[in-house]
Amino acid sequence: MPGPHGVPRADIIPLLREGLSDRAIGRTLHTNPKRVGRIRRELGLPEAARGTTLTREQAWATHTRPAGPDGEHLVWTGYHRAGTFPVLKYRSIDWSARRIAFEIEHGRPPVGRVLPSCDVPRCIRPACTTDEPMRQSDALYEQIFGAAA
Ligand SMILES: [Zn+2]
């Protein structure tokens, strides 16, 4: 029998995503509900209530994990279409995980491709996302004021 910490985090997250309570998940997986609660808080998910359904943004967060030297960046742990494009399947629709990240940070849909502005490979942290117009204006700024400005 697995001990209280023997259940992989990867088994707990899908049940959180389905909106189960900490206690229900503890019972189902034979793990400590307090640990389930800790993972819930790390992912920024709301407490489960009857009929809880995650928003698209909350579902998005369940497919990320910390990355980078300081752990402040995020990479996608969910599905990749064609092995490359991070995709969130939410309510039977495929959403670009990068576009959702962009909308979380900037509050508008991106124009053109979404790419990270940091050096962490495949970073999907909302604050790191840029779209075409943002990159163009950054490039223009550097042209005018120099890269060191
Ligand atoms: Zn980043």
Side-chain angles (χ1 to χ4, degrees), residues 37-86:
R38 222 162 31 237
I39 295 171
R40 178 190 300 281
R41 284 188 295 279
E42 278 170 32
L43 297 173
L45 299 178
E47 292 298 322
R50 194 180 292 273
T52 296
T53 47
L54 299 184
T55 65
R56 193 186 59 157
E57 286 68 22
Q58 287 164 345
W60 178 90
T62 67
H63 294 281
T64 62
R65 68 170 166 77
D70 49 11
E72 287 185 6
H73 300 261
L74 290 175
V75 290
W76 188 246
T77 60
Y79 174 71
H80 286 84
R81 189 169 56 217
T84 310
F85 301 101

Side-chain angles (χ1 to χ4, degrees), residues 2-120:
H5 295 283
V7 177
R9 184 185 163 91
D11 289 356
I12 293 172
I13 292 174
L15 298 184
L16 285 169
R17 213 178 278 145
E18 285 173 23
L20 267 67
S21 72
D22 298 349
R23 284 177 57 190
I25 294 171
R27 266 199 313 275
T28 305
L29 297 178
H30 305 289
T31 190
N32 188 339
K34 287 196 175 132
R35 178 163 170 250
V36 177
R38 222 162 31 237
I39 295 171
R40 178 190 300 281
R41 284 188 295 279
E42 278 170 32
L43 297 173
L45 299 178
E47 292 298 322
R50 194 180 292 273
T52 296
T53 47
L54 299 184
T55 65
R56 193 186 59 157
E57 286 68 22
Q58 287 164 345
W60 178 90
T62 67
H63 294 281
T64 62
R65 68 170 166 77
D70 49 11
E72 287 185 6
H73 300 261
L74 290 175
V75 290
W76 188 246
T77 60
Y79 174 71
H80 286 84
R81 189 169 56 217
T84 310
F85 301 101
V87 168
L88 172 69
K89 290 180 178 293
Y90 180 74
R91 298 197 177 158
S92 310
I93 296 172
D94 283 7
W95 304 83
S96 157
R98 289 194 192 126
R99 291 179 74 87
I100 293 176
F102 185 90
E103 287 184 31
I104 289 171
E105 175 69 16
H106 303 286
R108 65 171 173 85
V111 177
R113 287 181 73 194
V114 175
L115 295 172
S117 59
C118 67
D119 296 328
V120 176

Side-chain angles (χ1 to χ4, degrees), residues 111-145:
V111 177
R113 287 181 73 194
V114 175
L115 295 172
S117 59
C118 67
D119 296 328
V120 176
R122 296 175 164 227
C123 180
I124 200 162
R125 177 196 192 190
C128 293
T129 56
T130 61
D131 70 351
E132 300 273 353
M134 288 170 69
R135 288 192 296 275
Q136 275 165 19
S137 67
D138 281 356
L140 187 63
Y141 187 89
E142 282 186 14
Q143 247 174 38
I144 296 168
F145 298 104

